[in-house]
Amino acid sequence: MQIVITPDYDSLSARAADEIALVLRAKPDAVLVVPTGNTPLGMFHELARRAAEGEIRFARAHLVELDEYWSIPLTDERNLYRWLDEVFISRVGFAPERVIRFNSQADDPQVELRRVAQAAERFGGIDVQVLGLGFNGHIGFNEPGSPFDAPTQLIELTPESVASNARYWGSADKVPRKGMTLGFGTLGRARQTILLVSGEDKADILARVLREPITPAVPATWLRTLPHVIIIADDAAAGKLSPLV
Ligand code: GLP
């Protein structure tokens, strides 16, 4: 595991964009997974800038959605694919047929979960996944207790995650209570993993992820079982790591 500490959020975003650019240069049809949330917004902005300037191309790349609320239509502003499309997908020029999203209103969620997990495999497996970190250590919607071998899951959000997701929609009562997510079983086969962590309020959980025993109770400790992980944290998020790193 490599831990990169950047002076601030902008340099974290640029560094994350550099990693994606490297992968796309080596493999233009790479399979990518990216998170939603506030943390990756700077990276998306930077990738859009580089794509507009012709430095990188997404036309042949694949994207598989990491997580999605259950039962929220595309017309609803809380649909995470809709959000991702606005801030990233539509801005960098993915080919629509190479983007796989969860159908949040599928008749049978189990069939839908399998379809998305299998799509990642059908494209040749995930080349690089960028992940964010929840305050309770969740990754995607893999909440505490999520098995490390689940391929995909439909999961009940914990009260902590509902409270934290209220940041996006104004109040907790607007936060959907269930989410679909690629599980650790699928994510664990990715060729490279990048965790982005920004801000002082993530410093405690980042220190716990690196220090506590590897356990589903702190889902992101799962990262320590993977061979190729880069954690990119800004100085504020890394504030409680020393003397670890
Ligand atoms: C959300 C999402 C995750 C995201 C995490 C952190 O609940 N399901 O995919 O990575 O929480 O979000 P943020 O970057 O806004 O702190």
Side-chain angles (χ1 to χ4, degrees):
M1 173 181 287
Q2 189 189 351
I3 300 177
V4 176
I5 299 173
T6 64
D8 54 30
Y9 178 68
D10 285 349
S11 41
L12 170 147
S13 302
R15 178 59 197 262
D18 288 347
E19 296 294 337
I20 300 286
L22 269 180
V23 171
L24 284 179
R25 228 164 270 141
K27 189 175 178 187
D29 62 348
V31 179
L32 315 180
V33 168
V34 295
T36 47
N38 290 329
T39 312
L41 293 177
M43 176 189 75
F44 293 149
H45 186 74
E46 180 60 18
L47 288 171
R49 187 190 67 73
R50 294 184 195 189
E53 287 176 9
E55 281 178 43
I56 40 175
R57 281 175 54 78
F58 287 83
R60 291 177 57 203
H62 300 84
L63 184 77
V64 181
E65 192 178 15
L66 170 63
D67 54 8
E68 180 60 87
Y69 295 122
W70 172 242
S71 211
I72 301 295
L74 262 179
T75 48
D76 189 310
E77 62 157 359
R78 296 167 300 168
N79 183 284
L80 293 181
Y81 178 80
R82 180 191 163 114
W83 181 8
L84 204 55
D85 191 40
E86 272 172 29
V87 296
F88 181 51
I89 299 170
S90 65
R91 296 176 64 200
V92 298
F94 277 102
E97 70 276 12
R98 291 169 188 254
V99 176
I100 296 292
R101 69 174 184 91
F102 286 106
N103 175 0
S104 172
Q105 296 180 295
D107 292 336
D108 183 338
Q110 295 309 324
V111 171
E112 181 61 5
L113 290 166
R114 272 198 302 278
R115 183 187 70 84
V116 175
Q118 284 165 3
E121 297 304 323
R122 189 161 39 84
F123 288 152
I126 301 165
D127 289 291
V128 61
Q129 55 195 1
V130 182
L131 304 172
L133 180 62
F135 290 106
N136 60 359
H138 75 227
I139 295 281
F141 278 134
N142 292 287
E143 293 279 36
S146 295
F148 285 170
D149 60 355
T152 45
Q153 323 190 67
L154 174 66
I155 200 159
E156 193 94 25
L157 269 62
T158 59
E160 210 172 351
S161 292
V162 171
S164 127
N165 276 223
R167 291 174 294 160
Y168 312 136
W169 318 117
S171 66
D173 60 334
K174 293 212 178 107
V175 179
R177 293 314 199 248
K178 284 186 179 175
M180 308 167 90
T181 186
L182 296 182
F184 291 136
T186 299
L187 299 171
R189 285 198 294 281
R191 295 182 184 92
Q192 192 187 338
T193 301
I194 299 167
L195 180 76
L196 301 184
V197 197
S198 171
E200 199 181 346
D201 54 1
K202 294 274 175 80
D204 277 320
I205 186 62
L206 180 58
R208 290 182 59 201
V209 164
L210 293 175
R211 193 176 292 149
E212 289 191 6
I214 295 172
T215 165
V218 185
T221 57
W222 155 85
L223 291 165
R224 287 158 49 203
T225 68
L226 304 183
H228 301 293
V229 180
I230 307 177
I231 296 182
I232 308 178
D234 59 18
D235 209 40
K240 298 205 170 153
L241 294 191
S242 60
L244 274 176
V245 292

